[in-house]
Amino acid sequence: MTQLLAARKGFITPEMEEVARQEGVDPEFIRAGVAAGTIVIPKNRLRKGIRTCAIGRGLRTKVNALIGTSSDRDDPEMEARKIEVAISAGADAIMDLSTGGDIDGMRRVSLERATVPVGSVPIYQAGIEAIEKRGGIVAMTPVDMFEAIEKQAAAGIDFMAIHCALNFEVVERLQKTGRVTDIVSRGGAFLTGWMLHNRKENPLYEEFDRVLDILREYDVTLSLGDAIRPGCIADSLDGAQIQGLLVAGELVARAREKGVQVMVEGPGHVPIHHVETTMLLQKQLCHQAPYFVLGTLAIDVAPGYDHITAAIGGALAGASGADFICYVTPAEHLGLPTEEDVRVGVMAARIAAHAADIAKGVKGAWEWDLKMARARASLDREAVAGLAIDPALVRCYLEKEKGEPCSACGDECALRLVSEYFQQ
């Protein structure tokens, strides 16, 4: 039985009790939210021993970090270190987006090392394996796509970004609209190319019930992938994006009918004056499903600082209703992130999430800042450090100000790492 089906029957599961303790709310509040579909608890029924989290209305805004091997950098141990860095920095979930090397092996590492929910994008593996076996992504078969979903669900993946809300109506709207950046979603590009080459409908849309049957068996939370999200602020809120939201709304209702937990992915690149409209549209068209935003990046002209542009947009997105923020690192648009990029990206996203929580009135958010203000007023530096979003960095500054070596971090002094990073 999925969390959604249990909630509808009036049952409060151990996972609901756990997240209620974390959030400081009544378990019934969690159960009611899960039953209504406004809260999801991403946890595969096969996963054990992880820190469960809940995503949705009335809860703390959560942060996601990305890792994964690729053909450019196939280093599973480095990705494992990134997982540890992301979780120690406060990430609530990670996604394994591997597209190179031993994808199955990297997924095992992710599931073993991560003490938080793990997500994936199955079409990546299906597409890469089609290239290796048949010479091209367009040679994928529907069987390949569904086998990838089944394999990853059986391995223990907790939530999956699956691009089901992409069909020929959306593609045709995209072709008529005209865009500066066309399709920036890798999964969306894989499927659009496949559809146009084979002149067939997206199997993940056409056979959506088959997707749901797999996810329901393992209680995998469906994250409806934003296949045609805008890749620059000039493309924000165009016809294709809105068409995709309309389809996503239909699929949200169908997923809930089947007892599958579902959230919706969103952009991407969104100028400040579009953020609130984008969030309101998604919530209205997608029946108040939790919203998972990929940023959002408020401007396009700050490569190297996109963790900051994303934090600006992410704070406003969260305040306007987004529930789950995917981090953006300083390496975005430039290359593959290092461990330090990951740490900085998580911290920036957490700052955005907390700013949003204050605006939304999430329980405990305002009180945290009030405690910090009082600690500063009383000149209690140890309390200031303990209350900080990054205590180690604060202690580095405080100890260096006194001319003392940093005992908080030793050789891995956060202040030194940040300083060296920006000197590169």
Side-chain angles (χ1 to χ4, degrees), residues 99-111:
T99 57
D102 183 357
I103 296 176
D104 290 332
M106 184 64 237
R107 184 165 52 254
R108 285 192 293 272
V109 170
S110 297
L111 290 166

Side-chain angles (χ1 to χ4, degrees), residues 160-172:
M160 291 184 188
I162 305 179
H163 302 82
C164 305
L166 174 68
N167 60 19
F168 269 120
E169 286 184 358
V170 176
V171 173
E172 288 164 6

Side-chain angles (χ1 to χ4, degrees), residues 37-38 40 55-56 159-162 165 208 221-227 241 244-253 255-256 261-268 278-279 281-294 321-326:
T38 58
V40 296
I55 300 164
F159 63 102
M160 291 184 188
I162 305 179
F208 186 56
T221 297
L222 171 61
S223 182
L224 283 169
D226 194 352
Q241 182 184 353
L245 271 179
L246 289 167
V247 178
E250 295 169 6
L251 299 186
V252 165
R256 288 174 177 172
Q261 298 186 90
V262 59
M263 55 186 170
V264 179
E265 281 189 8
T278 301
M279 301 304 124
L281 270 174
Q282 186 279 334
K283 289 288 184 173
Q284 183 63 30
L285 296 177
C286 297
H287 314 291
Q288 308 302 314
Y291 203 9
F292 179 17
V293 293
L294 312 176
D323 307 285
F324 195 21
I325 296 176
C326 188

Side-chain angles (χ1 to χ4, degrees), residues 187-332:
F190 281 12
L191 283 166
T192 302
W194 186 93
M195 292 163 64
L196 294 174
H197 178 85
N198 293 287
R199 298 182 182 180
K200 292 181 179 178
E201 184 58 275
N202 175 10
L204 303 175
Y205 171 77
E206 196 168 48
E207 300 182 62
F208 186 56
D209 283 338
R210 186 173 174 185
V211 174
L212 295 178
D213 287 342
I214 297 170
L215 301 185
R216 184 177 57 189
E217 180 180 352
Y218 297 93
D219 198 5
V220 175
T221 297
L222 171 61
S223 182
L224 283 169
D226 194 352
I228 40 75
R229 66 179 181 269
C232 67
I233 62 172
D235 294 336
S236 174
L237 289 178
D238 67 1
Q241 182 184 353
I242 304 306
Q243 186 70 39
L245 271 179
L246 289 167
V247 178
E250 295 169 6
L251 299 186
V252 165
R254 288 175 59 186
R256 288 174 177 172
E257 260 182 59
K258 281 263 191 175
V260 173
Q261 298 186 90
V262 59
M263 55 186 170
V264 179
E265 281 189 8
H269 296 247
V270 188
I272 286 290
H273 61 294
H274 285 190
V275 171
E276 185 176 8
T277 300
T278 301
M279 301 304 124
L280 292 174
L281 270 174
Q282 186 279 334
K283 289 288 184 173
Q284 183 63 30
L285 296 177
C286 297
H287 314 291
Q288 308 302 314
Y291 203 9
F292 179 17
V293 293
L294 312 176
T296 60
L297 286 82
I299 60 174
D300 295 326
V301 297
Y305 299 94
D306 276 330
H307 58 305
I308 298 174
T309 68
I312 293 167
L316 187 53
S320 301
D323 307 285
F324 195 21
I325 296 176
C326 188
Y327 85 163
V328 172
T329 78
E332 185 77 9

